[in-house]
Amino acid sequence: MSPTVVIPAPSSRPGQKAFRAGLITACAGLLVGLDTGLIAEALGFIGTDFHASTRDQEWIVSVLMLGASVGSLGAGTFSARFGRRLVLTAAMVLMFLGAGLCANAMGIAQILVGRLLIGIAIGVCTFTAPLYISETMSGHQRGSMVSTFSMLQSAGILAGYLLGGLLSSGGHWRWMVSMPMLPTALLFAGCFFLPASPSWLIARGEDTKARTVLRALRDTPAEADEEFTCIKNEAAKGRISGLKLLRQQPGFRRSVMLGICLQVMQQLTGINVVMYYTPKILQNAHFGTSGAAWATVLIGVINTIVGIAAIFMVNRWGRRSLLCTSAAIMACSLAVAAGITGLHLSGGIATLCLLGALLSFVGGFGLGAGPLVWTLCSEIQPLEGRDFGVGCSTLANWWADWIVSNTFLSIVSVIGFGQTFAGFALMNVIFIVFTLTFVPETKDVPLETIEANLLSGKKLRNIGE
């Protein structure tokens, strides 16, 4: 009787390799969120040490968005030429250098330069990470993994708030702004373990490598070969520039405009006003400095918990219903905040109601508008113009973020918190109408199907059918 030959099981299934690659990439969201949380807590101490005016503080916050717009603008060109992995790795280097400059700053000018570098890196990450995830994940994993990127942003914000709260008693803002350096170094190392994007390899004519990568990432060779054929057929249509495709293809013009509008609407919900300026909002409501810091941590906790829940809900509820629910919650929450601050209500109950409204607002954003806008912007663009389309929408996000964050304190000084919150509440109502009118349902729909429907001239809200 011949001995039984036992073939060892592979160390990991292909689906697990895709999951690991997606998770490493999604960790870029952690760095984006960490900076948001830390600067919110450090801003007051920086202002005190360097005698910064209100406008100086607005620029310290918002210069990052200018850098991010530059990063997102260049990320498309560089990721198409050098690949998603290399561009993400370069972003880690910029972020590390920027954090180091801020930690050793001798004045506001050095902080601005450091935050500009961090902004460029963040712009690259917010463009490259969702794009890479959408190109390496299978259809049923795509929504959840891009939502993980958004959830880790929320976790990063919470970590920043926690670290800032712990360090706030001693005013250690230099320690706060240096915190991103360690996770940046770790993600830099993790980038070397990422496979190349199959779509990018096929676009470069490296079909053998693309097929090998797909077989390593998909559960079965048949699934990998089918996806390879779909991507190859799309690439065979001919490589043209995004601008040329924009001129030639009405469907692409519509998808680019939809992506831009989604990102602008996301910022007009008011989310980054709350995330950057929560300590100031709460101090205006008679929270003490320490109380405002720890109440801000509570907002970060809610943001993270809801972000985790969104990962599981995005593929169950679908994009459109979650977006509408999200905007409705935010509109109601901001209406309550507008009433409390506009009527100058005081006392313990009013203060707790204001905090509750902010918590509800952040939870509503994390439920849908946070993760789903990034998911949709990577899903609705055709392969040929995906770099260009996602780049345009990401650039729009950062420009809108810059405008909102660079003017919030100044607007409040003129019209007050109440009317400012009321304006953002109205924007969320408009977001609901926009979603119902234009946004498609893309849950479980292959990217190739979405592209075919778009380019055939279907209405935007129907391209996922």
Side-chain angles (χ1 to χ4, degrees):
M1 182 175 179
S2 60
T4 302
V5 179
V6 179
I7 301 175
S11 58
S12 62
R13 294 188 299 108
Q16 293 176 333
K17 293 181 181 179
F19 176 80
R20 283 200 300 268
L23 187 59
I24 290 172
T25 309
C27 284
L30 184 71
L31 298 176
V32 176
L34 186 61
D35 177 83
T36 300
L38 288 168
I39 198 61
E41 298 283 17
L43 185 61
F45 299 112
I46 294 173
T48 299
D49 278 10
F50 294 124
H51 307 289
S53 65
T54 296
R55 285 299 294 153
D56 289 335
Q57 292 182 54
E58 284 179 331
W59 273 105
I60 288 171
V61 171
S62 64
V63 71
L64 182 140
M65 292 79 182
L66 289 181
S69 67
V70 173
S72 62
L73 187 64
T77 299
F78 286 108
S79 68
R81 181 171 183 178
F82 300 108
R84 289 44 163 145
R85 290 184 305 174
L86 184 59
V87 169
L88 194 61
T89 304
M92 295 304 102
V93 175
L94 288 178
M95 190 170 290
F96 189 90
L97 293 175
L101 282 173
C102 290
N104 295 283
M106 302 303 293
I108 292 177
Q110 187 172 336
I111 291 178
L112 293 177
V113 172
R115 285 187 56 75
L116 183 67
L117 291 179
I118 294 172
I120 294 172
I122 285 176
V124 170
C125 289
T126 54
F127 170 89
T128 308
L131 180 64
Y132 176 84
I133 290 170
S134 70
E135 292 181 341
T136 53
M137 297 293 104
S138 59
H140 67 278
Q141 293 176 314
R142 193 173 62 235
S144 295
M145 192 54 71
V146 176
S147 295
T148 300
F149 172 80
S150 182
M151 182 276 291
L152 287 174
Q153 280 187 259
S154 301
I157 293 171
L158 173 59
Y161 286 161
L162 280 170
L163 292 169
L166 292 171
L167 295 170
S168 62
S169 59
H172 301 300
W173 65 266
R174 293 184 187 274
W175 281 99
M176 296 182 197
V177 297
S178 69
M179 289 296 174
M181 297 176 75
L182 177 59
T184 297
L186 293 175
L187 186 52
F188 173 84
C191 287
F192 291 96
F193 296 93
L194 297 177
S197 160
S199 297
W200 179 75
L201 289 171
I202 290 173
R204 290 172 57 86
E206 300 184 41
D207 293 0
T208 302
K209 289 184 180 179
R211 191 186 294 273
T212 300
V213 169
L214 280 170
R215 289 194 172 192
L217 296 177
R218 298 294 176 259
D219 291 327
T220 65
E223 181 184 355
D225 291 344
E226 181 181 359
E227 186 170 342
F228 174 86
T229 301
C230 290
I231 299 173
K232 185 67 176 173
N233 289 340
E234 292 298 326
K237 295 177 181 178
R239 182 74 181 177
I240 61 175
S241 69
L243 281 173
K244 187 174 181 180
L245 185 65
L246 195 71
R247 291 193 299 267
Q248 294 180 351
Q249 177 52 252
F252 184 49
R253 289 197 292 271
R254 292 185 297 129
S255 67
V256 170
M257 184 55 65
L258 177 58
I260 290 172
C261 289
L262 279 168
Q263 292 287 12
V264 171
M265 291 304 304
Q266 186 197 62
Q267 291 306 311
L268 292 180
T269 62
I271 182 59
N272 280 324
V273 163
V274 174
M275 303 314 289
Y276 288 127
Y277 295 114
T278 288
K280 289 186 175 294
I281 295 170
L282 294 177
Q283 286 172 27
N284 180 74
H286 309 296
F287 274 77
T289 301
S290 178
W294 288 108
T296 301
V297 170
L298 183 58
I299 286 177
V301 171
I302 296 298
N303 190 35
T304 303
I305 291 173
V306 176
I308 295 172
I311 295 175
F312 301 99
M313 297 174 70
V314 64
N315 284 332
R316 179 173 298 180
W317 280 29
R319 280 48 160 164
R320 297 177 79 247
S321 57
L322 270 180
L323 272 181
C324 289
T325 302
S326 170
I329 292 171
M330 289 188 288
C332 293
S333 301
L334 289 177
V336 171
I340 294 170
T341 55
L343 296 173
H344 304 288
L345 300 179
S346 58
I349 294 178
T351 301
L352 289 176
C353 285
L354 176 59
L355 177 59
L358 295 178
L359 291 171
S360 175
F361 169 80
V362 170
F365 180 84
L367 181 69
L372 288 178
V373 166
W374 293 105
T375 302
L376 283 162
C377 285
S378 63
E379 288 178 332
I380 61 176
Q381 305 301 343
L383 174 62
E384 197 65 44
R386 191 168 296 151
D387 290 341
F388 180 86
V390 175
C392 287
S393 60
T394 306
L395 179 64
N397 177 283
W398 289 114
W399 273 107
D401 191 356
W402 175 76
I403 291 171
V404 171
S405 61
N406 190 252
T407 58
F408 175 71
L409 295 179
S410 297
I411 291 173
V412 166
S413 69
V414 175
I415 66 174
F417 279 101
Q419 288 179 287
T420 304
F421 284 140
F424 284 120
L426 177 60
M427 289 297 103
N428 281 284
V429 174
I430 294 173
F431 197 5
I432 295 173
V433 176
F434 177 84
T435 299
L436 293 174
T437 306
F438 298 107
V439 175
E441 179 53 68
T442 58
K443 181 174 76 74
D444 295 334
V445 182
L447 295 180
E448 296 75 25
T449 300
I450 297 171
E451 176 173 346
N453 290 336
L454 173 72
L455 300 183
S456 69
K458 280 193 174 183
K459 291 182 178 180
L460 284 172
R461 71 187 306 272
N462 297 329
I463 62 175
E465 296 177 353

